[in-house]
Amino acid sequence: MANLSGIPVWREVGPSPLKQARDQARIVVVGGGPVGLTMALDLGRRGHDVVLLNRLDFIPAGSKAICFSKRSLDIFDRLGIGQAMVDKGVVWNVGKVFRGASADPIYRFDLLALKDQKRPAFINLPQYQVEDRLVRALDRLENVDLRWGHEAIAVNPQAGGVEVSVRTAAGDYSLACEWLIACDGSRSPVRTMLGLDFEGQAFEDRFLIADVRMRAERPSERWFWFDPPFNPGRSALLHKQPDDVWRLDFQLGPEASREEATDPAFVEPLIRGMLGQDVAFEPIWYSLYSFQCRRMARFVHGRVVFAGDSAHLVSPFGARGCNGGIADADNLGWKLDLVLRDQAGGQLLESFDEEATAAADENILNSTRSTDFMTPKTPAERALRDAVLELAVDHPFARPFVNSGRLSTAPVYPGSRLNTPDIDDWAGGVTPGTPAPDAPFGEGWLLESLGDGFVLLADDSREQVPEEVRLIETGGGGEGMDALRQRYDLRPGSAYLIRPDQYVAGRWRKPSARRIRDALDRAKGF
């Protein structure tokens, strides 16, 4: 089913009522995709009134993001919807890389190297299913106003806020807000309205997505082929989704046309070449795509903040796009919360710009390297790529150099201004600017216990903890605490200060009330 503009519909919602000619809100989020919905849910759960403007009045279908990383699942857990995602998604940790016609992989990797954590490395879940669970969670919050069929058509930054002109089928109105968060996608109208642009590189190669439904006894793994017989000289990718749906991805080259590439007469031989000539399947979605690796120079522009694809773009290889956008929302939510409550310094949102652009640069770097390895542009690049693939068959040292898309990992901020540098002797553990790893804790898991505020994770702490910091003591507990102590290099008296987004802000062998207070102030932008 499609709406009048030809966009496929997964779930009808219907337009929200027209608001008064002039309306006000403290926070406006523009864009109803996974990033905008996550942003609104985070801020709404923190008690803020939020208006979310979604130009569509339905949840769109189609083939978009499907791979959601452990870090995104940890964030969804903090927002109360992680289990709903995992219950529906296809869990996977293992990837395999094949070359040519060989049925044996040249490289096999396990993305969950650190075991005994609540969540897997990845789940596969179609974007519309993710959006649906986010929308249902937002529907339970009275302080979040999700406006379907309300399109931002003009943005006017002003002193102390932003004026937004909104169009609906029933008429237009004006909406004033203190903060506007643009999560309106790769073609971001908000970015265009402000005269801002991307910097970076566009790639010419084109790729075909074929989503098909079939019954098959295949493992829940990521399979990638270099130079398979069914797509010679190019690459292909296979992922399992829920409800017997499979994502197939074929490199076609820069000359591919949309008309030919989505013609069943062209697509079905590729599908049968990958799956087998006698496999019965039902086509669901065929589409052609190309991609860019680009970002805005800055993500914070006064009272307008950009997140997700509106701020940065990467290739789909490695699942860094949507996961990177969810990480943006996770990074921004607690910082804007403290600013709105007058509990943070003015530089805290500047740290969002610094940390989020650093994460985007890391994703763009990995995405570009993956693309260069998968689609070499010169004879020398191809010779190097082929040599790595050849060596990987028999030599383990070469396998980590096989790059079929470096998969999304949690961003790390080693140079963040919010970090308190180490001054003590640590043999291991978790450095400041790194997300706290999960571990068994009591009857559950550590990350469940951290919540979404500042936490002091301490082994037998006897120091006074600031009022806004919650103390979690790890002393005692016997063998059940061994994994936690090892992962954090905890010894008697050691302590970690953890940010509301569950990143390490500082750590000490001998914490003191003064050290903790100073680190807390630093983490809050003072």
Side-chain angles (χ1 to χ4, degrees):
M1 179 175 62
N3 77 335
L4 294 178
S5 62
I7 301 174
V9 176
W10 187 73
R11 178 161 76 87
E12 289 276 10
V13 179
S16 301
L18 176 64
K19 300 299 177 179
Q20 57 190 352
R22 283 189 61 81
D23 196 10
Q24 291 186 338
R26 197 155 196 206
I27 306 167
V28 168
V29 177
V30 179
V35 179
L37 295 168
T38 300
M39 189 78 260
L41 182 59
D42 192 332
L43 290 167
R45 284 171 58 90
R46 295 182 188 277
H48 298 290
D49 292 335
V50 181
V51 170
L52 192 154
L53 301 175
N54 187 352
R55 69 179 182 86
L56 303 179
D57 62 3
F58 57 89
I59 296 176
S63 196
K64 298 181 181 179
I66 63 167
C67 298
F68 291 87
S69 69
K70 181 185 180 302
R71 179 60 190 159
S72 292
L73 296 177
D74 291 341
I75 294 167
F76 289 149
D77 268 341
R78 184 176 60 75
L79 299 177
I81 54 173
Q83 194 59 49
M85 301 291 186
V86 174
D87 286 345
K88 183 63 177 178
V90 172
V91 171
W92 64 279
N93 296 313
V94 172
K96 292 178 180 176
V97 179
F98 301 87
R99 187 187 185 199
S102 175
D104 297 321
I106 62 172
Y107 182 36
R108 178 190 184 278
F109 52 90
D110 186 341
L111 292 164
L112 195 69
L114 190 64
K115 304 303 180 183
D116 290 326
Q117 301 191 75
K118 181 179 180 180
R119 293 306 178 202
F122 278 90
I123 63 166
N124 286 349
L125 187 64
Q127 180 171 317
Y128 50 80
Q129 296 268 15
V130 171
E131 291 176 4
D132 184 71
R133 282 151 181 78
L134 285 161
V135 167
R136 294 182 189 278
L138 285 169
D139 286 343
R140 295 191 288 269
L141 296 179
E142 293 183 358
N143 56 324
V144 177
D145 184 359
L146 205 174
R147 300 181 182 178
W148 299 90
H150 287 227
E151 180 182 4
I153 57 171
V155 171
N156 181 23
Q158 298 178 339
V162 183
E163 188 83 15
V164 187
S165 298
V166 184
R167 175 178 296 158
T168 77
D172 298 351
Y173 65 97
S174 177
L175 175 59
C177 63
E178 294 181 30
W179 292 91
L180 185 144
I181 307 173
C183 306
D184 51 343
S186 60
R187 295 184 176 91
S188 176
V190 173
R191 191 180 63 236
T192 301
M193 293 172 202
L194 295 182
L196 302 170
D197 202 357
F198 278 147
E199 301 171 353
Q201 180 180 5
F203 291 85
E204 295 180 357
D205 262 277
R206 295 188 173 186
F207 295 78
L208 166 69
I209 282 178
D211 280 357
V212 302
R213 180 172 282 112
M214 67 173 184
R215 295 189 178 276
E217 296 300 322
R218 293 173 179 262
S220 300
E221 300 173 344
R222 177 188 192 264
W223 285 15
F224 188 97
W225 287 266
F226 286 101
D227 192 24
F230 54 83
N231 196 24
R234 293 174 176 150
S235 63
L237 178 66
L238 175 68
H239 271 290
K240 183 179 182 180
Q241 301 183 63
D243 303 322
D244 296 320
V245 176
W246 296 76
R247 164 72 56 85
L248 286 62
D249 198 305
F250 302 93
Q251 179 191 357
L252 298 183
E255 69 282 356
S257 71
R258 187 171 303 279
E259 293 73 23
E260 179 188 28
T262 56
D263 184 342
F266 175 82
V267 178
E268 291 184 7
L270 287 171
I271 295 174
R272 295 196 181 281
M274 176 187 283
L275 302 178
Q277 295 301 318
D278 299 326
V279 170
F281 66 88
E282 172 193 350
I284 296 176
W285 181 267
Y286 298 158
S287 63
L288 190 70
Y289 71 90
S290 56
F291 53 85
Q292 305 173 34
C293 290
R294 308 175 71 191
R295 74 164 173 89
M296 298 175 68
R298 285 183 54 84
F299 297 172
V300 178
H301 293 264
R303 293 297 185 102
V304 180
V305 185
F306 291 83
D309 284 354
S310 69
H312 47 77
L313 294 173
V314 293
S315 83
F317 305 113
R320 293 175 176 270
C322 195
N323 288 299
I326 292 167
D328 288 348
D330 180 55
N331 189 299
L332 178 58
W334 70 275
K335 296 175 178 178
L336 186 55
D337 170 58
L338 293 181
V339 169
L340 288 167
R341 297 180 189 278
D342 295 323
Q343 295 177 4
Q347 293 302 306
L348 190 55
L349 285 186
E350 188 64 23
S351 79
F352 167 74
D353 186 84
E354 293 169 355
E355 292 182 350
T357 54
D361 285 342
E362 181 70 15
N363 284 330
I364 288 171
L365 176 65
N366 279 282
S367 185
T368 302
R369 286 175 173 172
S370 296
T371 303
D372 288 344
F373 190 88
M374 292 161 54
T375 59
K377 305 300 187 295
T378 67
E381 289 177 350
R382 179 170 293 277
L384 177 62
R385 195 277 305 272
D386 291 347
V388 169
L389 295 176
E390 190 70 32
L391 287 167
V393 175
D394 299 312
H395 301 284
F397 82 88
R399 291 167 191 164
F401 296 101
V402 175
N403 192 338
S404 62
R406 295 279 186 256
L407 282 145
S408 176
T409 56
V412 178
Y413 314 124
S416 172
R417 68 173 66 195
L418 307 187
N419 297 342
T420 294
D422 280 340
I423 57 175
D424 297 323
D425 179 29
W426 294 85
V430 189
T431 57
T434 303
D438 206 3
F441 186 73
E443 298 298 318
W445 301 93
L446 176 64
L447 295 187
E448 293 175 338
S449 301
L450 294 181
D452 57 4
F454 282 102
V455 170
L456 189 74
L457 183 68
D459 190 297
D460 191 27
S461 174
R462 298 175 186 176
E463 296 299 330
Q464 184 176 358
V465 176
E467 182 179 352
E468 61 266 55
V469 176
R470 187 164 55 91
L471 175 64
I472 295 180
E473 293 194 279
T474 64
E479 294 182 359
M481 305 292 284
D482 287 349
L484 186 151
R485 291 197 185 97
Q486 182 177 12
R487 288 170 193 181
Y488 288 81
D489 190 22
L490 284 173
R491 303 174 193 167
S494 300
Y496 280 78
L497 180 66
I498 299 178
R499 302 179 349 180
D501 57 356
Q502 302 182 345
Y503 273 70
V504 172
R507 59 179 182 168
W508 309 271
R509 286 298 186 200
K510 296 181 179 180
S512 67
R514 177 61 183 272
R515 283 183 170 184
I516 297 167
R517 179 76 257 175
D518 288 348
L520 177 63
D521 287 345
R522 184 178 185 126
K524 292 168 68 175
F526 289 117

